[in-house]
Amino acid sequence: RLKAFLLEPNGVDLYRNVQVNFIHGKKAVLTIFKGDGSNKEEVEKITLSDFDDTEKLHALFLQKGFEKYTDEEIDANREEAMPKHLSHLAEGKSPIEVSKARENFQSVKEKMRKLKKARENFMMDASYVAP
């Protein structure tokens, strides 16, 4: 349920000033900061796996003072996270899911570019005939 809260719509994406960073092999921890920019000061850390359902996680975020976006802002955030011509793919997805999909797309695009370059180099090398 924690994973769903972090990745799926109507979880963490409902709250202002929340940034999710995934660190493989680490427990999910909510780190609360006070201040902004270079004046950030860590105030509290809470292990999120201690909360076994989404209602408790929502209650925690509200208790800690996180404000929810309005419904209009949530819709706008979800639309903004995906280019217009791909917006139909973002329906019902959280900004985190959309961001991961975009990163994956960019990664595949870069791999294809490298593969094309390697193929061009190979073709050039293959045209060389040794005496």
Side-chain angles (χ1 to χ4, degrees):
R1 296 189 186 214
L2 173 59
K3 188 174 182 180
F5 181 80
L6 295 174
L7 292 174
E8 295 178 5
N10 302 318
V12 74
D13 66 320
L14 299 179
Y15 297 94
R16 298 178 189 277
N17 301 317
V18 176
Q19 180 180 348
V20 177
N21 297 317
F22 291 95
I23 303 172
H24 184 70
K26 299 284 185 179
K27 284 188 174 186
V29 174
L30 171 64
T31 305
I32 301 173
F33 294 94
K34 184 172 87 175
D36 58 4
S38 61
N39 296 326
K40 282 185 184 176
E41 176 186 338
E42 186 179 306
V43 176
E44 185 177 4
K45 282 190 174 197
I46 301 166
T47 304
L48 295 178
S49 57
D50 295 343
F51 298 84
D52 56 1
D53 70 24
T54 56
E55 294 306 316
K56 289 180 182 176
L57 287 162
H58 282 293
L60 170 69
F61 274 70
L62 292 172
Q63 176 192 356
K64 295 300 176 182
F66 290 97
E67 295 178 18
K68 281 189 172 183
Y69 287 110
T70 64
D71 290 340
E72 294 81 21
E73 290 171 319
I74 291 167
D75 291 340
N77 289 344
R78 288 183 181 159
E79 284 180 23
E80 184 181 300
M82 182 66 73
K84 294 285 183 215
H85 67 285
L86 298 176
S87 61
H88 65 282
L89 300 175
E91 290 179 20
K93 295 196 185 316
S94 73
I96 294 167
E97 288 176 303
V98 172
S99 176
K100 284 185 171 240
R102 181 178 280 153
E103 287 174 16
N104 187 44
F105 175 76
Q106 292 299 329
S107 174
V108 168
K109 194 171 161 182
E110 178 64 17
K111 287 177 184 175
M112 291 299 291
R113 188 190 65 73
K114 287 179 180 178
L115 183 61
K116 182 179 177 183
K117 184 72 173 167
R119 184 173 181 253
E120 288 170 1
N121 289 338
F122 174 78
M123 295 303 283
M124 287 174 58
D125 291 341
S127 65
Y128 173 75
V129 178

